[in-house]
Amino acid sequence: MSRHLITSALPYINGIKHLGNLIGSQLPADLYARYQRARGNEVLFLCATDEHGTPAEIAASKAKQPVAEYCAQMHRVQAELSSGFGLSFDFFGRSSSKQNHKLTQHFAGRLNEANLISEHVEDQLFSIFDNRFLPDRYVEGTCPACGYENARGDQCENCTKQLDPTDLINPRSAISGSTQIEMRKTTHLYLRQSTLRDQLDTWIDSRKDWPVLTTSIAKKWLHDGDGLRDRGITRDLDWGIPVAKGNKIWPGMENKVFYVWFDAPIEYIACAQEWVDTGNGDNWKRWWRLDQGAEDVRYTQFMGKDNVPFHTLSFPATLIGSGEPWKQVDYIKSFNYLIYAGGQFSTSQGRGVFMDQALDLLPADYWRWWLLSNCPENSDSEFTWESFQIGVNKDLADVFGNFVSRVTKFCRANFGETVPAGGTYGASEMLLINELTNRIKTYEGYMEAIEVRKASQELRAIWATGNEYLQKVAPWIAIKNDRTAAAAQVRLSLNLIILFATLSSPFIPNTSHYLFDTMNAEYIGWPHNVKKELTALQAGHSFTVPKVLFSKISDNQRKKWYEKFSGKETC
C-alpha cells in the first residue's frame, strides 16, 4: 500500500466558483484521490478556502458583513457545494485558521533567521478620503489597454491584461469611489527568493516527470528577463495574519498583515493540523515532515496554470529557506483554462455556469463526466451547450445508461429480478474477458499518469464493450432456442454492471454507488482478475432494476440554458 498526499489549489472565498475553477484543480484532484483509494492506497486529500487579501474585504463590504463573518458563511457555502459535486476531501479547512496563523508566523521567523527577508520602502496609492493605503483590488479605474472603465488594480476583467494599480487611468478607491488619491511611502517585507534561484533550479530539474506546462512556466519565471525576483510578503490591510516572527509582532509592521500568496500555500500544511485537531486524524506530521515518516509519501498538487509560479518557486522557496525537513511536492498537475462559449466566465456579467447553478440543473455526475472528459490538459478547452449535450447523450445515456437498462430490463422480463442460473461462458465471453483485461490495464496506466482525457476515453471504450457484447450474442434471440445460453449471457452482463460501476467510481461516484445499491452488491475492491470479477454475482442473487441512469438533454433544454447563461450585454 502506497501513501498519497493530494492537494488542490485553494478556492478563493469571494463567491461561488464557476465550472472553470472546478475543473482547474479540485475535480481532477478528486478523481485521482478516489482512484488511489479504490486501489487500496492510503490517501490524505486536503483543500481549504483561501480567505485573506483584498477580494475578501471587498466582497464582505459589498455584502454589508464583517469580513470574518462573511468568510465563515462562504466557507460553509463552498463546503456544501464541494460535497454536492462529490469532492471527497479528507478535510476542507480555512486559511484563516489559528493553525495557519501560527504556522505562517513560524515560517516568517525561520526565514528571517536565515537572512531571507528584507525590508523595502515603496510608493503606493493612498486614499485621502478613506485614510488608508489601497492595495491592488482596492483600486479601480480605466484600463489603459482596452478602455474598460471598471478595471481592477491587478487585472482588467474585460481584456484580462495584468495591471498594477498605478497603470489605471483615472484611478479611484474601490471602497468609497473617491478620486482623492496620492502616492505615499510604505514599508513592506520581501522574501529574498532570488537568492535561492540555483537551489530551485536544481530542485525543478530533479522532477523529471513533471508535465511540460508546469516545467515551462517554472523555468520561464526563473530565467526570463531579470530572472526570479524577490516578492513582497506583506500588505497594508486589516484582514489577514498579523506580521510576526514566531509569536512576536515584527517591529514596524504593527498595522500590516502577510500577503495572501505567502500564507495560502502554508495552509496546505496547516489544513492537515486542522484535520487532526478536529478529531479526524492522529498525526499530521507523518504526511508533512521527512523526519517523522513522510519519506514514503508521494505528494501531488493540482492547480490552474496561473498558480504554477507560486507552487514551483515561491512556496518551495519558503520550505527550503526554513531549513526544516518539510515534504516537497513530487508532482504538479497543472491545467489550462476552460472558457465559456468563446469567452470568459464572468460573475459580474452573469456569464457562464457556476457550481450552485449547475447542481440546480442536473445531478453532479453529468457535470463531472463532461468536465473531466474535456478537461483543459494540453490547451484551453471550451464549454458549449452543444458539446455538453453530446457528452451527456452519447456517452452517459447511449453507452453506459443504455447498457444497464437493456440488461436489467431483459433479465426482469425473462428471468425476474434474479441472476439467472445455467449455461457456461464460451468463446465470445473469453474474448470479452481478454479485451477487458487489456483495456483495464491501459485505463490504469492513464489514471496513474493523471492523463485525465485519455483515461475518460478508455473508460468509455470499456462501457462500449458491454453493448458490443450484447449485440454480438443477442440474448433476445438466443432465448428462443437455448434458454441456458441466454441465462449465461445475461449473468455475465449483470456482472459487467458491477465491474463498470467499480471502474467508473472515480469519475461518476454517485452513479456507481447507486448501481451497487440497486444490484444489491458490495464493493469488493479494484478488479485484478476480470474472469473472477465477472462471477461476483452468483445465480439466485436478487437485484432491483435501476431507474434511468441519465436522462438525455433535449434541444429545447439546451437552447433555454444557452440563453439563460449567456450574460448581460456590456458596453
Side-chain angles (χ1 to χ4, degrees):
M1 181 175 67
S2 57
R3 299 173 61 212
H4 291 267
L5 174 62
I6 300 169
T7 61
S8 70
L10 310 187
Y12 205 73
I13 198 69
N14 64 333
I16 293 169
K17 305 297 108 178
H18 56 67
L19 296 183
N21 300 135
L22 181 63
I23 190 55
S25 59
Q26 292 174 300
L27 188 52
D30 178 71
L31 176 79
Y32 188 61
R34 286 181 176 276
Y35 170 73
Q36 292 297 344
R37 291 193 195 104
R39 297 303 304 268
N41 295 321
E42 186 180 6
V43 171
L44 181 60
F45 179 25
L46 301 173
C47 192
T49 41
D50 184 358
E51 300 188 9
H52 297 137
T54 54
E57 290 192 0
I58 292 174
S61 177
K62 290 180 179 179
K64 294 180 169 43
Q65 291 178 271
V67 64
E69 180 182 306
Y70 172 82
C71 288
Q73 175 187 324
M74 288 309 302
H75 176 267
R76 290 191 295 271
V77 169
Q78 292 203 24
E80 290 171 1
L81 289 172
S82 295
S83 177
F85 271 94
L87 303 181
S88 59
F89 303 126
D90 289 291
F91 195 79
F92 187 62
R94 303 180 61 185
S95 69
S96 62
S97 68
K98 63 181 182 181
Q99 291 87 348
N100 198 37
H101 276 236
K102 183 177 180 180
L103 193 57
T104 298
Q105 292 167 345
H106 166 80
F107 274 111
R110 294 287 303 186
L111 292 167
N112 184 59
E113 291 170 5
N115 195 32
L116 290 171
I117 291 182
S118 59
E119 292 188 4
H120 287 240
V121 178
E122 56 192 51
D123 292 322
Q124 188 172 320
L125 293 176
F126 184 90
S127 170
I128 298 171
F129 181 86
D130 300 306
N131 192 33
R132 64 171 295 166
F133 284 101
L134 300 176
D136 44 58
R137 294 196 184 192
Y138 271 102
V139 187
E140 294 177 345
T142 301
C143 176
C146 71
Y148 181 59
E149 295 181 352
N150 296 310
R152 302 189 307 256
D154 61 342
Q155 184 178 32
C156 175
E157 184 183 45
N158 187 57
C159 70
T160 72
K161 180 178 176 60
Q162 299 290 317
L163 300 169
D164 287 320
T166 53
D167 294 332
L168 295 174
I169 301 169
N170 300 321
R172 62 185 181 273
S173 166
I175 304 168
S176 62
S178 173
T179 57
Q180 291 182 280
I181 294 175
E182 65 182 21
M183 299 298 293
R184 289 192 182 181
K185 300 290 185 184
T186 185
T187 302
H188 286 295
L189 301 180
Y190 273 63
L191 174 62
R192 301 177 61 225
Q193 57 184 20
S194 63
T195 64
L196 299 171
R197 182 186 293 111
D198 291 343
Q199 287 175 260
L200 291 168
D201 203 12
T202 300
W203 176 71
I204 291 168
D205 286 341
S206 71
R207 269 52 183 169
K208 302 294 186 183
D209 61 344
W210 277 12
V212 173
L213 178 63
T214 301
T215 304
S216 62
I217 292 174
K219 289 290 189 176
K220 180 180 177 67
W221 277 63
L222 266 178
H223 300 299
D224 279 11
D226 296 329
L228 184 63
R229 297 181 180 181
D230 298 341
R231 291 188 63 89
I233 62 170
T234 57
R235 278 292 184 267
D236 291 293
L237 294 171
D238 297 324
W239 173 246
I241 298 176
V243 180
K245 39 187 172 182
N247 58 2
K248 295 181 180 180
I249 294 297
W250 206 299
M253 298 286 137
E254 291 81 3
N255 298 315
K256 302 179 191 292
V257 298
F258 284 111
Y259 195 6
V260 62
W261 78 259
F262 181 67
D263 79 75
I266 295 171
E267 168 60 16
Y268 292 138
I269 306 173
C271 186
Q273 293 181 276
E274 294 174 63
W275 170 66
V276 170
D277 292 346
T278 52
N280 296 282
D282 59 356
N283 183 2
W284 66 269
K285 291 184 179 180
R286 64 186 289 263
W287 294 95
W288 279 107
R289 296 278 300 203
L290 297 177
D291 58 346
Q292 298 197 39
E295 302 94 337
D296 62 345
V297 170
R298 178 162 176 84
Y299 178 22
T300 307
Q301 294 176 346
F302 291 78
M303 69 196 64
K305 61 183 179 182
D306 54 330
N307 273 320
V308 168
F310 300 108
H311 291 77
T312 57
L313 302 171
S314 299
F315 184 41
T318 297
L319 299 181
I320 292 171
S322 74
E324 297 175 325
W326 295 102
K327 174 64 185 177
Q328 290 274 19
V329 65
D330 294 296
Y331 190 81
I332 296 178
K333 178 67 175 183
S334 54
F335 294 87
N336 289 282
Y337 298 134
L338 178 71
I339 59 177
Y340 180 81
Q344 300 292 324
F345 286 84
S346 172
T347 304
S348 62
Q349 297 176 21
R351 190 169 192 279
V353 186
F354 290 72
M355 289 173 68
D356 57 339
Q357 298 167 329
L359 293 178
D360 285 341
L361 295 182
L362 291 168
D365 280 358
Y366 289 68
W367 302 102
R368 287 180 64 103
W369 173 254
W370 189 90
L371 289 168
L372 290 166
S373 60
N374 292 273
C375 74
E377 284 182 295
N378 300 315
S379 62
D380 290 350
S381 296
E382 181 179 15
F383 178 92
T384 67
W385 288 103
E386 291 84 356
S387 175
F388 181 63
Q389 181 187 31
I390 291 170
V392 169
N393 293 359
K394 299 297 184 183
D395 296 348
L396 296 179
D398 285 347
V399 181
F400 192 21
N402 180 54
F403 172 74
V404 172
S405 179
R406 292 171 74 186
V407 171
T408 54
K409 289 181 179 179
F410 180 82
C411 183
R412 179 174 62 186
N414 294 277
F415 302 100
E417 292 185 333
T418 303
V419 177
T424 58
Y425 294 166
S428 295
E429 287 71 33
M430 291 302 106
L431 285 173
L432 175 62
I433 289 169
N434 289 336
E435 180 181 0
L436 284 171
T437 299
N438 292 330
R439 287 200 174 278
I440 291 171
K441 288 180 181 177
T442 301
Y443 175 58
E444 291 169 350
Y446 291 142
M447 291 292 276
E448 291 290 350
I450 321 179
E451 296 189 53
V452 181
R453 278 201 177 199
K454 290 181 179 179
S456 70
Q457 292 165 1
E458 195 62 35
L459 180 59
R460 188 191 187 280
I462 289 170
W463 295 343
T465 62
N467 285 307
E468 292 164 359
Y469 170 74
L470 284 181
Q471 288 302 116
K472 180 179 180 180
V473 299
W476 50 88
I477 295 175
I479 199 169
K480 298 176 182 178
N481 302 308
D482 190 345
R483 187 175 178 84
T484 58
Q489 294 160 2
V490 170
R491 188 167 64 253
L492 180 137
S493 298
L494 291 170
N495 275 285
L496 280 177
I497 293 174
I498 299 303
L499 179 67
F500 292 171
T502 299
L503 297 171
S504 304
S505 59
F507 280 89
I508 47 175
N510 294 332
T511 303
S512 295
H513 294 159
Y514 174 69
L515 286 174
F516 275 104
D517 288 342
T518 56
M519 298 305 293
N520 192 26
E522 293 184 5
Y523 177 74
I524 57 174
W526 195 258
H528 298 289
N529 183 325
V530 174
K531 185 176 182 180
K532 181 179 178 182
E533 302 295 338
L534 293 181
T535 62
L537 301 184
Q538 294 289 314
H541 179 91
S542 62
F543 66 92
T544 301
V545 173
K547 62 184 180 182
V548 174
L549 294 185
F550 301 101
S551 298
K552 287 192 172 184
I553 297 173
S554 68
D555 289 343
N556 286 337
Q557 283 177 305
R558 171 176 54 79
K559 293 174 183 177
K560 177 182 176 181
W561 294 339
Y562 173 80
E563 293 296 329
K564 181 176 181 180
F565 298 102
S566 60
K568 297 175 290 187
E569 292 292 324
T570 58
C571 297

